Amino acid sequence: GGGQAPDLWTNLFRLSWEQPLPLFGRFGLFGEYTNRKYEFHGENNFIPGTDDPWGTAHRMVVGANLFQPVHEQWAIVLAADVRWHVEDGASLSDGMSWTATVGAGYRVNEKLDLGAGFIVQDSFGDELFFIGGPQIDWRPTPQWRFAIVGTELEIQYNLNRAWQFGGGGGFTGHRFRLDDDGPEPGGIAAESRFPMYIQARYRGIDDLDLTWRMGVDVTREFRVEDSAGNTLRRFDSDPSPYISFRAIWRF
């Protein structure tokens, strides 16, 4: 939370399966569910005259990904998913979108991997979207790692086999279809953020990966759009602190 912006509670569950392939490649399938609960604080600037412009949003994703080396130094990356993101009560079909990713990576040496790729996305109430960019994974020493992954910069320090510390930041965002019975019937709510964070990661137990993260959303913007995706209202919130916990169990 921050200023007049709503507090946000996010819960995410992801189940994935991976199959090893020749040359250290892998093919994966996954399903994911996210629940976002927004808690507003009285009168707001989103939709005048309302206390709760929207409530709980549900996001479901199914997809597949492939990482396949094709040479001693070259690898390709392919991924695709279909997702549904709607407010509680809205029709799933009105909040459907898809994403496809194509990329290639080059291993310069044991310390440096370079890559490039682009994403194509077709989202409800929006035009076909293309974005591309570089990917970098640099490990100058066994303790330090610097990486650009997607739209995020990561810095990592390996204290020992069990503990890692680090930080980072980058752009993230999401949008979902609003309920037909709400104050903006069938419209779209969109949120974009630029979080910066520090984190601690523990991997001292076999098959278990635990991460604690705390940070600040340096910028946080909300938009309310009509059913066709035309922006009706825009609101920028104050910087907002956040905390998170992630657990991964491999079996």
Side-chain angles (χ1 to χ4, degrees), residues 9-249:
W9 298 83
T10 302
N11 301 285
L12 182 150
F13 176 77
R14 179 184 177 103
L15 183 64
S16 61
W17 169 85
E18 282 194 348
Q19 173 64 42
L21 298 175
L23 300 176
F24 303 101
R26 59 184 182 271
F27 172 75
L29 299 172
F30 69 90
E32 183 177 292
Y33 170 73
T34 305
N35 178 286
R36 291 187 174 95
K37 182 179 180 181
Y38 292 85
E39 295 182 351
F40 291 85
H41 311 287
E43 196 74 15
N44 60 80
N45 294 335
F46 301 96
I47 303 178
T50 65
D51 289 339
D52 298 297
W54 57 81
T56 299
H58 307 274
R59 179 176 180 266
M60 289 154 283
V61 186
V62 292
N65 48 64
L66 171 70
F67 171 79
Q68 182 58 64
V70 293
H71 184 268
E72 290 182 354
Q73 293 175 286
W74 286 95
I76 59 171
V77 177
L78 303 174
D81 65 60
V82 179
R83 59 191 67 188
W84 298 263
H85 202 173
V86 298
E87 183 187 11
D88 194 20
S91 171
L92 284 178
S93 61
D94 291 338
M96 186 176 74
S97 61
W98 60 263
T99 302
T101 303
V102 178
Y106 178 73
R107 170 149 289 187
V108 179
N109 52 49
E110 293 183 354
K111 296 182 178 181
L112 179 62
D113 294 324
L114 300 177
F118 67 92
I119 296 173
V120 182
Q121 183 178 70
D122 185 22
S123 184
F124 49 91
D126 201 359
E127 298 179 351
L128 200 64
F129 178 74
F130 296 83
I131 185 172
Q135 306 289 288
I136 301 172
D137 193 335
W138 181 40
R139 304 164 299 279
T141 71
Q143 288 77 34
W144 287 98
R145 175 178 178 259
F146 303 85
I148 296 177
V149 181
T151 59
E152 185 174 297
L153 168 66
E154 298 178 354
I155 302 174
Q156 178 180 296
Y157 176 74
N158 299 311
L159 180 64
N160 50 44
R161 177 184 175 276
W163 284 99
Q164 297 175 351
F165 299 93
F171 173 81
T172 183
H174 58 268
R175 59 208 309 268
F176 54 92
R177 182 70 70 177
L178 294 173
D179 184 6
D180 289 337
D181 297 326
E184 187 60 52
I188 299 167
E191 179 182 359
S192 60
R193 305 163 50 224
F194 190 95
M196 299 184 68
Y197 63 87
I198 57 174
Q199 71 176 27
R201 186 177 180 185
Y202 179 72
R203 299 194 296 178
I205 302 174
D206 290 344
D207 301 321
L208 190 62
D209 187 334
L210 305 175
T211 301
W212 296 266
R213 178 177 293 186
M214 60 187 303
V216 174
D217 287 328
V218 180
T219 64
R220 191 179 180 198
E221 179 193 81
F222 295 88
R223 296 191 313 277
V224 178
E225 305 171 357
D226 63 18
S227 59
N230 301 305
T231 300
L232 301 176
R233 299 171 187 86
R234 189 188 306 268
F235 177 75
D236 294 318
S237 83
D238 297 330
S240 309
Y242 72 92
I243 58 173
S244 70
F245 170 71
R246 183 188 71 179
I248 300 175
W249 178 37

